[in-house]
Amino acid sequence: MENNKNYQKTLQNTLNLLKNDNKKPKLLLHACCGPCFTIPFEILKDFFEITIIFNNSNIYPASEHDRRLNELKKYVKKVDDKICIIKEPYDNEKYNKDLESYADDKEGHERCRICFRKRLETGFKYAKDNGFDYFGTVMTISRYKNAKDINTIGEELEKKYSPIKWLDADFKKNNGYEKSLLIIEKEKMYFQEYCGCVYSYKKYIEKLNKKSI
């Protein structure tokens, strides 16, 4: 793979090829929350028949998982109530079995890559079992998530789950993240203060405790 691949340019090339098609391909799109769905939806809505998969057992605690899901549902209902959201069962304890040995990792390292792979593989499996054409994720809109890591994993899994096509993207490009903040403010959306996992949650609580001293 190219070291400096422009994933958003690759996405645009894909969209350019699709814009003259009479039928929209079916895209299964992994979403982790409402805020991260905003700009990806705006970019993709005219080119794909979108179904969302919410498979985020990494999120801790359960109340946070449910809050992010509900915020996503609320936003989807407003922008396109025909979009279906597939919710995978929540099991944070089981999910974390593969991550425990990386508990001391800094965010953005191997623990995160394992977490990306677990969720993307679940999505690919669902896409293949249910007749989708493409699978992608909104996660690359985050400033804190490495687009190269996410797309590298997606491209590897594409080979395993052929004929499902991986949708390359880096939604933070072209001021995507900044544009999402404007929508979040306008819609008064809940905007989480940490990535989601129990490890990032603990770091978040530590910061709050230091501020209160």
Side-chain angles (χ1 to χ4, degrees), residues 27-208:
L27 168 65
L28 182 66
L29 186 64
H30 163 259
C32 49
C33 61
C36 287
F37 177 71
T38 54
I39 294 302
F41 170 71
E42 292 299 318
I43 292 173
L44 302 175
K45 63 182 181 180
D46 293 331
F47 301 91
F48 294 97
E49 179 186 326
I50 299 173
T51 297
I52 296 170
I53 184 166
F54 191 86
N55 55 316
N56 299 295
S57 283
N58 60 304
I59 298 174
Y60 178 89
S63 58
E64 179 72 15
H65 171 275
D66 294 345
R67 186 175 187 181
R68 296 188 191 189
L69 174 59
N70 289 334
E71 194 70 15
L72 174 64
K73 287 180 176 178
K74 185 169 68 173
Y75 184 70
V76 169
K77 185 177 181 179
K78 180 171 184 177
V79 295
D80 188 345
D81 60 4
K82 296 186 294 298
I83 292 178
C84 177
I85 300 176
I86 307 300
K87 180 188 174 298
E88 291 285 292
Y90 177 75
D91 191 337
N92 183 257
E93 184 176 352
K94 181 180 178 182
Y95 187 93
N96 285 334
K97 293 295 184 184
D98 297 328
L99 305 177
E100 290 172 351
S101 58
Y102 298 92
D104 295 328
D105 262 19
K106 291 183 178 179
E107 190 169 340
H109 292 270
E110 187 61 22
R111 186 184 68 234
C112 291
R113 288 189 283 270
I114 293 170
C115 185
F116 297 154
R117 183 176 293 275
K118 285 168 71 71
R119 286 183 284 167
L120 294 184
E121 182 141 29
T122 300
F124 261 108
K125 287 178 180 176
Y126 189 94
K128 186 161 186 177
D129 290 344
N130 291 276
F132 285 86
D133 303 299
Y134 285 84
F135 173 65
T137 180
V138 306
M139 288 192 290
T140 59
I141 198 170
S142 170
R143 294 180 299 169
Y144 305 104
K145 291 184 173 60
N146 188 306
K148 181 182 176 184
D149 285 347
I150 292 169
N151 284 292
T152 297
I153 294 167
E155 290 172 350
E156 289 173 359
L157 292 171
E158 178 184 54
K159 298 172 184 176
K160 182 177 178 180
Y161 290 95
S162 178
I164 308 302
K165 299 181 184 73
W166 167 250
L167 190 67
D168 274 326
D170 188 356
F171 292 113
K172 72 176 71 64
K173 295 293 187 180
N174 304 322
N175 297 315
Y177 177 75
E178 290 75 14
K179 291 173 183 175
S180 74
L181 294 179
L182 296 176
I183 298 174
I184 292 163
E185 182 178 7
K186 179 183 176 183
E187 299 296 332
K188 296 180 172 56
M189 298 174 74
Y190 166 62
F191 190 49
Q192 57 270 13
E193 296 291 339
Y194 64 100
C195 176
C197 70
V198 63
Y199 309 104
S200 62
Y201 175 75
K202 288 177 179 178
K203 292 292 184 183
Y204 167 64
I205 296 300
E206 286 176 11
K207 288 182 181 179
L208 287 182

